[in-house]
Amino acid sequence: MASRVGIDLASVSDVREAVAAHGDRYLRRVYTPQELVDCGGDPARLAGRFAAKEAAIKVLRPRRDTALPWSDIEVLRHSDGWTELRLGGSAALRAEHEGLAAFSVSLSHEGDTACAVVMAEGKGSTGR
Amino acid sequence: MTDKILAVLAEHGRLPVSPDSLGDGDDLYAAGMTSHASISVMLGLEDAFDVEFPDRMLTREVFSSIASIRAALDELAEAA
């Protein structure tokens, strides 16, 4: 099965305003505890992770009625600075259903825009 | 109920058009609502109607139109 890629842009000011409007309720519905620690409240980092979750959803291609909570898709940050994607719950089930594995993610942010690209290999593809 | 939904959409939906101009079944995403804005809409609806959307309802479908939002709120009200 072919590999897939997803990309997404997120507005840093939208995230800043959502945090201002909804506070912890917004943060807890979208991000995991570890992501919140890694972001330290920085809206640009939060926006980057939101873009990564959306890019991953584009790779997973859920049906419109499939529940895919954002916190099921987690961006893990390594001490060297690079990031990894971890899927749990319904996101992991969806990846299994779609025959996808070896997810990778890259994030970036500049000014008011955060961007993320996610790739996944189809199981049995000639990747690593 | 619809008036309250429209008020939440106006405040949180970041739609380029007035929600009042949309039909019940019009696709809110097609009308310009982003995924991120749908989170604020969800949280705004929870405030306005004093409910909490369970994870199973966090689907694109539920927040895709005024009618689908109303149906989800009705379901939560019946379950309460």
Side-chain angles (χ1 to χ4, degrees):
Chain A
M1 211 202 83
S3 300
R4 289 187 193 168
V5 64
I7 185 171
D8 195 75
L9 296 176
S11 156
V12 176
S13 50
D14 281 3
V15 169
R16 185 179 296 113
E17 285 164 26
V19 173
H22 305 290
D24 274 352
R25 283 179 55 227
Y26 166 78
L27 293 170
R28 276 186 289 107
R29 293 301 273 276
V30 178
Y31 303 96
T32 66
Q34 187 56 52
E35 287 176 320
L36 293 177
V37 168
D38 292 345
C39 291
D42 177 356
R45 288 185 170 185
L46 291 166
R49 280 153 179 80
F50 183 78
K53 293 164 193 275
E54 286 291 300
I57 288 171
K58 291 175 183 175
V59 169
L60 293 169
R61 301 180 186 171
R63 295 191 334 227
R64 282 175 70 95
D65 60 357
T66 301
L68 252 183
W70 288 280
S71 52
D72 277 1
I73 302 167
E74 181 174 32
V75 174
L76 300 174
R77 186 177 185 283
H78 283 261
S79 50
D80 302 334
W82 48 272
T83 50
E84 218 171 13
L85 209 62
R86 178 164 65 189
L87 304 184
S90 40
L93 291 174
R94 186 65 193 173
E96 185 66 29
H97 177 272
E98 294 292 293
L100 295 166
F103 282 72
S104 53
V105 61
S106 183
L107 314 181
S108 186
H109 51 80
E110 176 78 35
D112 191 52
T113 303
C115 175
V117 174
V118 167
M119 270 202 69
E121 290 172 14
K123 285 181 187 165
S125 70
T126 54
R128 285 191 307 275
Chain B
M1 174 184 268
T2 300
D3 287 345
K4 262 166 106 171
I5 293 171
L6 290 173
V8 170
L9 286 171
E11 182 180 355
H12 298 288
R14 295 176 165 270
L15 288 155
V17 296
S18 163
D20 298 334
S21 67
L22 297 172
D24 244 24
D26 287 353
D27 188 310
L28 296 173
Y29 297 101
M33 183 175 74
T34 66
S35 286
H36 191 266
S38 72
I39 300 170
S40 285
V41 166
M42 173 190 71
L43 294 167
L45 290 166
E46 288 184 338
D47 287 337
F49 292 92
D50 193 25
V51 293
E52 180 158 333
F53 289 97
D55 275 357
R56 66 178 174 77
M57 278 190 164
L58 301 185
T59 70
R60 196 172 175 83
E61 184 68 40
V62 164
F63 300 97
S64 61
S65 70
I66 296 164
S68 59
I69 290 172
R70 190 172 46 233
L73 290 168
D74 284 341
E75 184 181 326
L76 290 175
E78 281 162 24

